[in-house]
C-alpha cells in the first residue's frame, strides 16, 4: 500500500476488493502467490498410460510430435451440488466451467466480505468461458443421455450464453448480467466492461472474470513448426529459445467497486484500477489471427490516458507474453512505442508473463495476469518470469525501457504509488489493457471499544461447519495480530446464515483459535437453526434481582445503553432527589452504602426500570424486535412502556411515584414457598396473602414480618422448602391498599395508549386487553393483587418456537420459565445480564446471548451491531464446499453410456460425524415406497429426471431440486409414458408423487366423464 500524504486522486477509479481463483497448482490466491514467489511451474506432463485411461487414441499419443503436457486443475469432476441446489442429474450434465465459476463467484464475494442477500446495491456479472468440450466429448456422444435430459436443458447447462445469468440466478444478483467473449482477452475485457458499468451507475458492485476448462484434461497436442504451441510443453516468454505457449485450464473472478464506495464502506482494497481500454486491430495486419503493433499500442496508450498516468511512472507490465515468434516482438514494439514518447530511461520497467508459470488459460488468461499483478502490488514484490535466460534477438530490449524480471525482486517505492499495466490480446484482434495502482492507505488502525468480540460461523452441512471452524481457527493462529473486530464484522455481515451454526466469544485472535480448535463449552456454542426468525418474548424481572453495578460493562462501552441510562437518570433526578447513577455505578469506596440504599423500594423500582428499558433498547437497536413481552410486577411497566402504553417520561414518573408510595408504607416481609398456589392457601391466615404464583410449584407469600416468620417456622417444621426474600415491604398484599387510590389518580393524569406490542397481564395471566392497559384501576390493582406469572408463561409457551429472553439483571425469570417447559418441547431461554456471582464480563455475557439468539435463527442487524466499532471487511477463509463427483464419462471403445448410468444419490446423504452431539442427523421425511402402479411409474420418472436413487411418494419435487424447466420435462414425460396431460398448475399444487397420482386419476375420471359409453369402453379396452 502507498503511504503518500497527498489526497487520493481519481475517486472515479475502481477498487478491486475481492478475488477467487482456480489456477493450475493453486486453489487460492494465497497458494497462487506462494507458487509465484517460489517460481513454481504448474505445467503437468502425462504418461501414455494416463492419456490412454483418459480415452485418447494410442496412435495419436505415440506420435513423436505429440506433446504430453498441459496445465490442469484438480478435481474438476467434483462439485457441491447440494450447496447450490442442483439435483445430482443437473450437476452431472453441467459444464465444469459453469460449476467452477459458480464456486469462484461465491468465494469472491465472501473474500470481499459481502453477502449478496443483504447487500442493498446492485451486483453485476461480466463473465465468459471457453468452448464447452465437456458437452462435445462427454455428453453429446451419449444419445440416450441427451434424450433423457433434453437438448434444451443440456444447452443451458453448458453453453457460454448462460454462464453469467446462471451466476446471477444462483447468487441472487440483480445487476447487469452479461456474457463476454473475445477469445484470449475475454476476462480482461470483462473487467473493463464491468468498470464502465460501475462508473455509469448501472451497478454498485461487479464480478468479472472467466473460465477455460477443456476435457479430457490429461491430453496434449500435436506440435507443428511455426505454430503458437511449444514443442516441449514449456512457455519461455521473451527468451531466445521461446518457441510457443502451452494451454491450460483455469478460472478466476475479481470483485470490483467504485473506489469512493470501497473506502466509505470499509473494504479491503487489494489494488485500484486507474484506467482501462479495449479496441480491435481491424484488418491492417498480416492475418485474422495475427497481432498488430498499432492496435496494441493504441489500447495501451488509451488506458494510460484514461488513467491520467504518465507511462514513466509504471514500473511493471504483466504482458500477454505467449512466447510465440510473432507475438512477443510485436508486444514489446507496441509497449516501446507508447513509453518512448514519455521517457528516455532504459531498463526501468519490469516485464513478466504468468503464462510461464501456469500456461495460457485462454479466456481466463487475462484474469490470471490481473490477479498476479494485484498480488505483486500487495506484497510489493515482482515474481520471476520463468525460463528467461537470454533475450529474444528479435526484441531490442537494450534500447527500450523494459527488462524481463527473471527473479523475485523487491518492488521499491518511488515518487508516485507503485503502478503496473496488464495486457491481454485475443485472437481476432480485441486488445485490452488495464492500469493498476497499489491500494491507498485510507485510515489508521482504530481502537475498538469492545474488548470482546462475537464470531459466527454457519454452513449447510455438519461436515462443512466443522471444516469452516477449523479453517477459521487456522487463520487466526496464522494471523494472531489481526484486528478481531474486523474478523467478527466480516463474518457477521459478509457471510450468509445457514442452518448449522457455531459461535465463539473471545477477546483475542489467539483465544478464539484455541476455543474453536478445542470447542471450549464456556465460549463456543453450536446449534441447528430449525426456524427462520422465530418469535422472541422479552421477559422483564421484578424486585429482588437488582444489584449494584448491574450492566456496568455495558454502560462503559455500549453507547446506546449508556444513552438511555443517562437520559432516564436525568429525568428521574427531580423525582428521586438524587442521581440514580450514584447508586447504580458508585465509586468502589461507596459500593456498600449504595447497596444498602438500592435495596430501598423507592430506588429499587426506578433502578430496575432504567436498566431493563436500556437493555431492551440495546437489543432492539441490534434488530432483536420482540413479538411479545411479560414482566414480573415492576417489570410489567417496562413491557407497557415498550408497547407504547406510557411514554418513556411518564413511565419513569409513575415508577418513581409507585416506589415512593410503597416506601412510605409500614414494612413487611415476603416468603418464597415451594408449593402450589392451592397448597399455599391452606397455610394462609388473615394477615398473610398469596403475592405471586411464579410456577406450578413455587409461590410467594406477603404479610407482616411476624406472621411471615411464623409461617416460615411452620413450613420448615413440616419439611416444606421456603426462603425469606430480600424485600422491605409486603408487596401484592392488603398492606398496599392505603396507596391504591392515590396511585390510581396519578396514573389517570398521564396519557395512556392501547398497546402496540402484546404483553401478558400479571393480573389475568393472559394477554392484556387494550381496555385493561389504559385503565388506571388496572394499574392500581396491579399493586395489590397477586402476580399470575405462572399462568402468563404458560400462555406464552403456547406460541410455537417462541424464544424467551430475560431483559434485566440475573436469571430469575429464565429459571421460572424453564420449570414449565415440557422436556419433549425444549425452548431457547436466555439471559441478558449476568448474575452478580458470574465471573464473566457484562459484555462477554451479552455477546454470548446475542450469539445464541443467532444460533436459534433470530436475525440480527449486524451493521447496527457493529456500528460503534468502525470495522473493516477483511479477506477470511471462504465456504468449504463439500464436493462429490458428478461427471459423465465419455464413451470409450465403442461403449455407449445409457441414461441409467448417470450417478445417482439418496435424496439426503449428509450424515452426522461421530462425536458431534450438537446436531441432529439430517433426515428427510420418512420414506414411503410407491403403493400402486401409477405411483411406481411416477417415481421412476422422478428418479430418472432428478438423478436420485430413491424417491418416496411424500417427497416434494421442488424440495428435491426440481425447477420450472425440469417440471416441463416431467409433465412431458408423464404425457408420453402415461398418456395423460397434467397442467403445470396442478403440478405446482400437487408436488408429491402421492398428490400427483391423485391429480392424474382425477384428470382421467374427468376425461372419462366427458366421453360416451362406447368411447369410454373403447378407451379402457385400449388401456
Amino acid at each position: 500500500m502507498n503511504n503518500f500524504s497527498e489526497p487520493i486522486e481519481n475517486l472515479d477509479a475502481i477498487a478491486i476488493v475481492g478475488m477467487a481463483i482456480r489456477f493450475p497448482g493453486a486453489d487460492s490466491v494465497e497458494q497462487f502467490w506462494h507458487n509465484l514467489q517460489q517460481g513454481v511451474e504448474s505445467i503437468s506432463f502425462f504418461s501414455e498410460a494416463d492419456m490412454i485411461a483418459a480415452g485418447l487414441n494410442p496412435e495419436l499419443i505415440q506420435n513423436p510430435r505429440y506433446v504430453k503436457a498441459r496445465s490442469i486443475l484438480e478435481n474438476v469432476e467434483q462439485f457441491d451440488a447440494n450447496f447450490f441446489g442442483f439435483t445430482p442429474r443437473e450437476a452431472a450434465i453441467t459444464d465444469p466451467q459453469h460449476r467452477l465459476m459458480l464456486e469462484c463467484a461465491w468465494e469472491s464475494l465472501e473474500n470481499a466480505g459481502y453477502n449478496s442477500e443483504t447487500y442493498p446495491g446492485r451486483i453485476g456479472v461480466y463473465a465468459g468461458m471457453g468452448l464447452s468440450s465437456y458437452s462435445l466429448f462427454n455428453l453429446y456422444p451419449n444419445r440416450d443421455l441427451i434424450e433423457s435430459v433434453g437438448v434444451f436443458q443440456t444447452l443451458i447447462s453448458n453453453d457460454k450464453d448462460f454462464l453469467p445469468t446462471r451466476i446471477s440466478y444462483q447468487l441472487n444478483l440483480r445487476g447487469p448480467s452479461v456474457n463476454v467473449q473475445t477469445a484470449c482477452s475475454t476476462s480482461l475485457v470483462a473487467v473493463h466492461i464491468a468498470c464502465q458499468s460501475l462508473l455509469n451507475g448501472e451497478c454498485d458492485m461487479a464480478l468479472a472474470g472467466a473460465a477455460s476448462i477443456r476435457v479430457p484434461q490429461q491430453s496434449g497436442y500435436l506440435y507443428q513448426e511455426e505454430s503458437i504451441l511449444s514443442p516441449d510443453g514449456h512457455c519461455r516468454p521473451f527468451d531466445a529459445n521461446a518457441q510457443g505457449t502451452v494451454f491450460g485450464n483455469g478460472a478466476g473472478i475479481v470483485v470490483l467497486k467504485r473506489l469512493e464506495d470501497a473506502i466509505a464502506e470499509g473494504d479491503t482494497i487489494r489494488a485500484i484500477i486507474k484506467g482501462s481500454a479495449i479496441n480491435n486491430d481491424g484488418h491492417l495486419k498480416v492475418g485474422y489471427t495475427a497481432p498488430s503493433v498499432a492496435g496494441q499500442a493504441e489500447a495501451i496508450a488509451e488506458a494510460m490516458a484514461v488513467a491520467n498516468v504518465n507511462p514513466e511512472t509504471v514500473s511493471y507490465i504483466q504482458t500477454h507474453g505467449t512466447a510465440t515468434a510473432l507475438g512477443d516482438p510485436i508486444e514489446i514494439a507496441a509497449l516501446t512505442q507508447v513509453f518512448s514518447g514519455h521517457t528516455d530511461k532504459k531498463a526501468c520497467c519490469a516485464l513478466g508473463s504468468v503464462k510461464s508459470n501456469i500456461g495460457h488459460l485462454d479466456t481466463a488468461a487475462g484474469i490470471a495476469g490481473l490477479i498476479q499483478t494485484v498480488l505483486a502490488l500487495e506484497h510489493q514484490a515482482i515474481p520471476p518470469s520463468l525460463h528467461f535466460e537470454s533475450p529474444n534477438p528479435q526484441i531490442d530490449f537494450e534500447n527500450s525501457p523494459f527488462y524481463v524480471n527473471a527473479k523475485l525482486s523487491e518492488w521499491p517505492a518511488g515518487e508516485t504509488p507503485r503502478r503496473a499495466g496488464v495486457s491481454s490480446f485475443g485472437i481476432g484482434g480485441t486488445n485490452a489493457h488495464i492500469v493498476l495502482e497499489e491500494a491507498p492507505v485510507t485510515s489508521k488502525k482504530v481502537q475498538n471499544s469492545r474488548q470482546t468480540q462475537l464470531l459466527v460461523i454457519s454452513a449447510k452441512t455438519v461436515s462443512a461447519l466443522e471444516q469452516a471452524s477449523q479453517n477459521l481457527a487456522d487463520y487466526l493462529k496464522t494471523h494472531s495480530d489481526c484486528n478481531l473486530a474486523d474478523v467478527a464484522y466480516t463474518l457477521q455481515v459478509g457471510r450468509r446464515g445457514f442452518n448449522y451454526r457455531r459461535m465463539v466469544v473471545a477477546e483475542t485472535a489467539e483465544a478464539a483459535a484455541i476455543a474453536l480448535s478445542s470447542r471450549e463449552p464456556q465460549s463456543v456454542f453450536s446449534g441447528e437453526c430449525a426456524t427462520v426468525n422465530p418469535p422472541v418474548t422479552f421477559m422483564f424481572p421484578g424486585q429482588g434481582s437488582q444489584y449494584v453495578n448491574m450492566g456496568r460493562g455495558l454502560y462503559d462501552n455500549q453507547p446506546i445503553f449508556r444513552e438511555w441510562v443517562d437520559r432516564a437518570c436525568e429525568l428521574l433526578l427531580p423525582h428521586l432527589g438524587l442521581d440514580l447513577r450514584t447508586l447504580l455505578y458508585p465509586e468502589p469506596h461507596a459500593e456498600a452504602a449504595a447497596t444498602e440504599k438500592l435495596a430501598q423500594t423507592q430506588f429499587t423500582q426506578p433502578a430496575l426500570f432504567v436498566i431493563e428499558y436500556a437493555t431492551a433498547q440495546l437489543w432492539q437497536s441490534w434488530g432483536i424486535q420482540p413479538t411479545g413481552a411479560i414482566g414480573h410486577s415492576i417489570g410489567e411497566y417496562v413491557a407497557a412502556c415498550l408497547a407504547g402504553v406510557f411514554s418513556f417520561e411518564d413511565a419513569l414518573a409513575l415508577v418513581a411515584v409507585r416506589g415512593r408510595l410503597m416506601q412510605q408504607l409500614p414494612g413487611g416481609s415476603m416468603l418464597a414457598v415451594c408449593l402450589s398456589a392451592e397448597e399455599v392457601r391452606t397455610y394462609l391466615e388473615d394477615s398473610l396473602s398469596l403475592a405471586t404464583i411464579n410456577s406450578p410449584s413455587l409461590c410467594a407469600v406477603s404479610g407482616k414480618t411476624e406472621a411471615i416468620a411464623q409461617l416460615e417456622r411452620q413450613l420448615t417444621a413440616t419439611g416444606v422448602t421456603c426462603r425469606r426474600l430480600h424485600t422491605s415491604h409486603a408487596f401484592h398484599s392488603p398492606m398496599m391498599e392505603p396507596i391504591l387510590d392515590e396511585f390510581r389518580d396519578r396514573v389517570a393524569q398521564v396519557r395512556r395508549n392501547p398497546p402496540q406490542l402484546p404483553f401478558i397481564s400479571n393480573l389475568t395471566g393472559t394477554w392484556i386487553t387494550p381496555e385493561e392497559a389504559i385503565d388506571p384501576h388496572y394499574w392500581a390493582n396491579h399493586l395489590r393483587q397477586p402476580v399470575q406469572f405462572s399462568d402468563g408463561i404458560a400462555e406464552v409457551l403456547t406460541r410455537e418456537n417462541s424464544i424467551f429472553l430475560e431483559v434485566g439483571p440475573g436469571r430469575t425469570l429464565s429459571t421460572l420459565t424453564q420449570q414449565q417447559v415440557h422436556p419433549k418441547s425444549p425452548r431457547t431461554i436466555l439471559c441478558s445480564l449476568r448474575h452478580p456471582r458470574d465471573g464473566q464480563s457484562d459484555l462477554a455475557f451479552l455477546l454470548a446471548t446475542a450469539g445464541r439468539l443467532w444460533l436459534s435463527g433470530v436475525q440480527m442487524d449486524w451493521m447496527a451491531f457493529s456500528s460503534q466499532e468502525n470495522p473493516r471487511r477483511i479477506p477470511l477463509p471462504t465456504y468449504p464446499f463439500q464436493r462429490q463427483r458428478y461427471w459423465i464419462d465419455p464413451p470409450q471403445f465403442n461403449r455407449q453410456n445409457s441414461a441409467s448410468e448417470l450417478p445417482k444419490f439418496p435424496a439426503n446423504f449428509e450424515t452426522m460425524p461421530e462425536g458431534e452431539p450438537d446436531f441432529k442427523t439430517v433426515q428427510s421425511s420418512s420414506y414411503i415406497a410407491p403403493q400402486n402402479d401409477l405411483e411406481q411409474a411416477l417415481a421412476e420418472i422422478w428418479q430418472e429426471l432428478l438423478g436420485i436413487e430413491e424417491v418416496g411418494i411424500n417427497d416434494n419435487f421442488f424440495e428435491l431440486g426440481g425447477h420450472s424447466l425440469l417440471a416441463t420435462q416431467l409433465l412431458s414425460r408423464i404425457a408420453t409414458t402415461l398418456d395423460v396431460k397434467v397442467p403445470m398448475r396442478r403440478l405446482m399444487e400437487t408436488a408429491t408423487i402421492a398428490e400427483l397420482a391423485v391429480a392424474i386419476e382425477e384428470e382421467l375420471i374427468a376425461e372419462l366423464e366427458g366421453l360416451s359409453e362406447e368411447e369410454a369402453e373403447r378407451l379402457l379396452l385400449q388401456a
Side-chain angles (χ1 to χ4, degrees):
M1 290 187 175
N2 76 67
N3 291 291
F4 298 97
S5 58
E6 64 188 78
I8 297 170
E9 298 178 351
N10 282 359
L11 283 181
D12 60 345
I14 301 300
I16 298 174
V17 298
M19 302 185 292
I21 66 163
R22 294 290 187 279
F23 289 158
D27 283 342
S28 68
V29 291
E30 293 78 15
Q31 182 62 51
F32 185 43
W33 177 247
H34 172 80
N35 292 350
L36 293 170
Q37 280 183 304
Q38 300 300 316
V40 174
E41 182 187 48
S42 298
I43 308 296
S44 296
F45 292 83
F46 313 115
S47 67
E48 290 189 6
D50 291 335
M51 305 180 84
I52 292 172
L56 272 68
N57 187 331
E59 293 181 5
L60 173 66
I61 61 180
Q62 289 168 5
N63 188 316
R65 291 188 295 110
Y66 192 81
V67 181
K68 306 178 183 66
R70 186 176 185 82
S71 58
I72 66 173
L73 301 178
E74 297 293 329
N75 302 318
V76 295
E77 303 90 351
Q78 297 186 353
F79 182 57
D80 193 339
N82 180 58
F83 181 86
F84 289 104
F86 280 53
T87 67
R89 169 66 58 92
E90 188 178 12
I93 66 165
T94 299
D95 189 291
Q97 296 173 106
H98 279 243
R99 304 191 318 193
L100 278 187
M101 285 294 280
L102 269 177
E103 292 185 356
C104 283
W106 185 276
E107 287 183 357
S108 67
L109 281 172
E110 287 199 339
N111 180 259
Y114 282 94
N115 172 2
S116 61
E117 288 286 3
T118 56
Y119 181 65
R122 302 173 73 199
I123 303 177
V125 180
Y126 298 86
M129 60 179 265
L131 177 73
S132 178
S133 57
Y134 182 67
S135 63
L136 290 177
F137 300 129
N138 293 48
L139 302 184
Y140 284 118
N142 290 298
R143 303 311 305 170
D144 289 347
L145 167 66
I146 299 302
E147 291 177 6
S148 169
V149 172
V151 174
F152 187 53
Q153 175 69 53
T154 306
L155 177 68
I156 66 173
S157 296
N158 291 270
D159 193 68
K160 300 178 179 182
D161 290 355
F162 306 103
L163 171 66
T165 50
R166 179 184 288 276
I167 292 172
S168 296
Y169 172 75
Q170 294 290 156
L171 274 60
N172 193 25
L173 311 181
R174 295 175 295 279
S177 193
V178 181
N179 179 43
V180 180
Q181 294 299 149
T182 62
C184 312
S185 60
T186 291
S187 54
L188 211 62
V189 171
V191 173
H192 167 80
I193 298 174
C195 291
Q196 298 302 308
S197 181
L198 284 163
L199 294 175
N200 292 335
E202 295 172 339
C203 58
D204 304 292
M205 188 187 302
L207 309 185
S212 178
I213 300 175
R214 296 192 180 185
V215 295
Q217 287 205 105
Q218 289 76 16
S219 63
Y221 53 89
L222 273 176
Y223 169 71
Q224 294 180 342
E225 290 188 12
E226 299 184 0
S227 73
I228 64 171
L229 296 174
S230 166
D232 61 0
H234 298 287
C235 183
R236 302 177 175 85
F238 313 115
D239 189 74
N241 293 319
Q243 298 182 69
T245 194
V246 55
F247 280 96
N249 294 341
I253 286 180
V254 292
V255 181
L256 308 173
K257 290 180 67 179
R258 290 179 287 270
L259 177 60
E260 57 184 334
D261 292 344
I263 293 172
E265 294 170 14
D267 297 333
T268 292
I269 301 172
R270 318 296 293 268
I272 63 174
I273 296 176
K274 297 278 285 184
S276 63
I278 60 173
N279 70 359
N280 191 271
D281 295 333
H283 72 273
L284 296 179
K285 55 183 180 178
V286 175
Y288 173 72
T289 62
S292 162
V293 172
Q296 292 181 15
E298 182 181 303
I300 296 167
E302 183 180 347
M304 297 284 181
V306 170
N308 194 26
V309 161
N310 185 332
E312 189 177 38
T313 66
V314 175
S315 49
Y316 176 60
I317 298 288
Q318 170 58 218
T319 65
H320 188 60
T322 55
T324 59
L326 185 62
D328 282 5
I330 285 179
E331 183 169 8
I332 301 306
L335 282 166
T336 302
Q337 180 177 315
V338 175
F339 276 65
S340 60
H342 299 273
T343 182
D344 295 327
K345 295 179 180 179
K346 309 301 180 186
C348 60
C349 181
L351 300 180
S353 174
V354 75
K355 293 179 180 66
S356 66
N357 302 88
I358 60 175
H360 191 327
L361 303 189
D362 192 21
T363 50
I367 202 71
L370 179 71
I371 291 174
Q372 186 256 31
T373 310
V374 170
L375 293 171
L377 285 167
E378 277 192 321
H379 294 277
Q380 301 176 5
I382 302 175
S385 190
L386 306 185
H387 311 306
F388 184 82
E389 296 177 356
S390 60
N392 185 331
Q394 301 300 314
I395 301 175
D396 186 10
F397 279 118
E398 290 186 1
N399 295 306
S400 80
F402 307 107
Y403 67 95
V404 178
N405 187 73
K407 63 179 181 179
L408 179 65
S409 305
E410 181 183 351
W411 194 341
E415 295 181 358
T416 63
R418 295 174 181 84
R419 290 173 181 156
V422 181
S423 294
S424 189
F425 310 128
I427 287 179
T430 296
N431 307 304
H433 189 79
I434 287 178
V435 179
L436 291 176
E437 184 174 284
E438 64 180 330
V441 176
T442 56
S443 63
K444 296 181 179 180
K445 187 175 180 180
V446 298
Q447 182 68 35
N448 301 109
S449 62
R450 288 180 187 153
Q451 298 303 309
T452 307
Q453 299 296 333
L454 168 62
L455 312 185
V456 294
I457 313 167
S458 73
K460 282 197 171 184
T461 65
V462 177
S463 55
L465 181 65
E466 295 304 315
Q467 188 175 341
S469 301
Q470 191 57 53
N471 291 349
L472 181 60
D474 293 341
Y475 171 89
L476 294 172
K477 289 175 185 175
T478 306
H479 302 81
S480 59
D481 61 343
C482 67
N483 186 332
L484 197 61
D486 292 343
V487 175
Y489 177 69
T490 303
L491 293 172
Q492 291 159 5
V493 303
R495 300 293 185 269
R496 200 172 295 186
F498 298 115
N499 284 359
Y500 294 95
R501 302 185 173 192
R502 179 163 291 148
M503 54 137 294
V504 59
V505 172
E507 292 187 3
T508 65
E510 182 181 8
I514 293 171
L516 283 170
S517 297
S518 63
R519 307 290 190 269
E520 289 181 1
Q522 297 301 316
S523 54
V524 179
F525 297 89
S526 304
E528 179 183 356
C529 170
T531 306
V532 178
N533 213 21
V536 178
T537 299
F538 280 7
M539 302 191 298
F540 300 103
Q543 201 159 338
S545 59
Q546 75 279 354
Y547 59 91
V548 167
N549 287 322
M550 52 184 171
R552 177 67 178 261
L554 305 184
Y555 184 80
D556 289 342
N557 62 35
Q558 294 301 302
I560 291 176
F561 184 87
R562 181 169 59 250
E563 175 189 338
W564 283 101
V565 170
D566 287 345
R567 182 180 171 190
C569 291
E570 288 164 9
L571 289 170
L572 284 168
L573 191 59
H575 297 285
L576 302 181
L578 57 75
D579 187 337
L580 192 58
R581 287 168 291 194
T582 61
L583 303 185
L584 288 171
Y585 309 124
E587 295 296 328
H589 68 273
E591 285 188 7
T595 298
E596 183 178 347
K597 207 162 189 177
L598 193 61
Q600 298 176 23
T601 298
Q602 60 179 327
F603 301 124
T604 306
Q605 295 189 5
L608 284 171
F609 182 95
V610 169
I611 296 302
E612 292 172 16
Y613 191 85
T615 306
Q617 290 297 322
L618 182 59
W619 281 123
Q620 289 186 299
S621 74
W622 291 349
I624 309 300
Q625 302 297 335
T627 57
I630 182 172
H632 193 287
S633 192
I634 190 62
E636 189 170 331
Y637 282 80
V638 187
C641 184
L642 211 62
V645 175
F646 305 117
S647 69
F648 180 62
E649 293 78 7
D650 286 342
L652 284 170
L654 287 177
V655 168
V657 169
R658 186 179 190 266
R660 176 171 52 79
L661 292 175
M662 287 182 170
Q663 187 72 39
Q664 295 171 359
L665 293 171
S669 298
M670 298 182 69
L671 184 72
V673 182
C674 291
L675 291 175
S676 69
E678 291 73 16
E679 292 172 314
V680 167
R681 286 190 179 98
T682 64
Y683 289 91
L684 299 183
E685 300 175 357
D686 292 342
S687 59
L688 296 175
S689 295
L690 183 63
T692 66
I693 306 172
N694 291 324
S695 77
S697 59
L698 180 62
C699 300
V701 176
S702 284
K704 294 181 178 180
T705 301
E706 311 83 55
I708 288 293
Q710 174 59 34
L711 177 63
E712 183 178 15
R713 290 190 292 271
Q714 181 182 359
L715 292 172
T716 302
T718 57
V720 175
T721 302
C722 58
R723 179 174 59 85
R724 191 78 66 94
L725 299 179
H726 299 291
T727 59
S728 57
H729 292 77
F731 304 125
H732 303 284
S733 77
M735 295 184 72
M736 298 290 108
E737 290 177 358
I739 64 172
L740 296 186
D741 290 342
E742 184 178 351
F743 186 69
R744 181 196 63 226
D745 293 342
R746 184 64 182 87
V747 174
Q749 294 173 16
V750 304
R751 180 181 177 85
R752 303 169 308 284
N753 307 293
Q756 302 303 303
L757 171 72
F759 65 92
I760 293 291
S761 161
N762 280 177
L763 290 184
T764 64
T766 188
W767 301 106
I768 197 167
T769 66
E771 295 76 17
E772 290 171 331
I774 63 175
D775 185 357
H777 290 278
Y778 172 86
W779 296 102
N781 289 332
H782 186 272
L783 272 169
R784 165 65 181 86
Q785 299 302 320
V787 175
Q788 304 285 345
F789 186 78
S790 180
D791 287 348
I793 284 296
E795 178 66 29
V796 181
L797 283 169
T798 62
R799 286 186 163 189
E800 191 173 354
N801 301 317
S802 181
I803 291 174
F804 294 83
L805 177 62
E806 187 162 359
V807 183
R811 50 177 179 260
T812 301
L813 301 190
S814 298
T815 303
L816 295 175
T817 303
Q818 188 62 57
Q819 292 174 8
Q820 295 200 55
V821 174
H822 194 281
K824 293 184 178 180
S825 302
R827 296 297 184 93
T828 299
I829 304 172
L830 301 169
C831 304
S832 301
L833 303 181
R834 63 181 180 85
H835 190 275
R837 288 193 294 271
D838 194 327
Q840 200 172 13
S841 73
D842 288 322
L843 180 59
F845 189 92
L846 187 74
L847 293 184
T849 297
R852 294 176 71 180
L853 285 169
W854 175 79
L855 289 182
S856 301
V858 176
Q859 293 182 4
M860 300 279 292
D861 183 345
W862 292 119
M863 296 293 288
F865 180 80
S866 300
S867 60
Q868 73 185 74
E869 295 292 287
N870 193 27
R872 298 171 58 247
R873 291 177 170 87
I874 62 173
L876 295 175
T878 56
Y879 191 88
F881 296 114
Q882 304 299 287
R883 301 179 182 94
Q884 298 188 53
R885 190 177 193 272
Y886 297 94
W887 197 256
I888 305 300
D889 291 315
Q892 297 178 23
F893 311 113
N894 298 320
R895 178 178 66 81
Q896 280 273 326
N897 285 350
S898 67
S900 63
E901 292 174 319
L902 272 169
K904 292 183 178 178
F905 297 85
N908 276 292
F909 44 87
E910 170 69 15
T911 56
M912 170 79 71
E914 291 184 7
E916 287 296 328
D918 296 323
F919 304 100
K920 300 173 183 176
T921 303
V922 182
Q923 293 179 335
S924 62
S925 57
S926 300
Y927 171 76
I928 300 178
Q931 306 296 304
N932 53 51
D933 291 343
L934 177 56
E935 291 180 347
Q936 181 62 42
L938 290 172
E940 291 173 358
I941 294 172
W942 284 32
Q943 288 165 188
E944 184 177 344
L945 280 176
L946 298 172
I948 292 174
E949 192 174 278
E950 196 174 63
V951 178
I953 62 173
N954 290 329
D955 289 332
N956 186 291
F957 178 76
F958 298 102
E959 291 177 0
L960 292 178
H963 47 71
S964 57
L965 188 58
L966 279 177
T968 302
Q969 294 183 48
L970 174 65
L971 298 181
S972 175
R973 194 68 57 81
I974 289 172
T976 301
T977 306
L978 303 177
D979 195 24
V980 60
K981 293 183 178 179
V982 179
M984 178 66 76
R985 172 183 55 80
R986 293 303 299 271
L987 177 59
M988 304 299 281
E989 296 170 350
T990 58
T992 68
I993 288 176
E995 293 170 335
L996 187 57
V998 173
I1000 290 174
E1001 290 174 348
E1002 291 174 351
E1003 293 286 339
L1004 290 171
I1005 291 171
E1007 184 178 350
L1008 287 172
E1009 289 176 346
L1011 301 176
S1012 65
E1013 291 185 11
E1014 294 78 8
E1015 290 172 327
E1017 183 175 353
R1018 187 163 54 251
L1019 182 63
L1020 291 172
L1021 287 173
Q1022 290 175 351

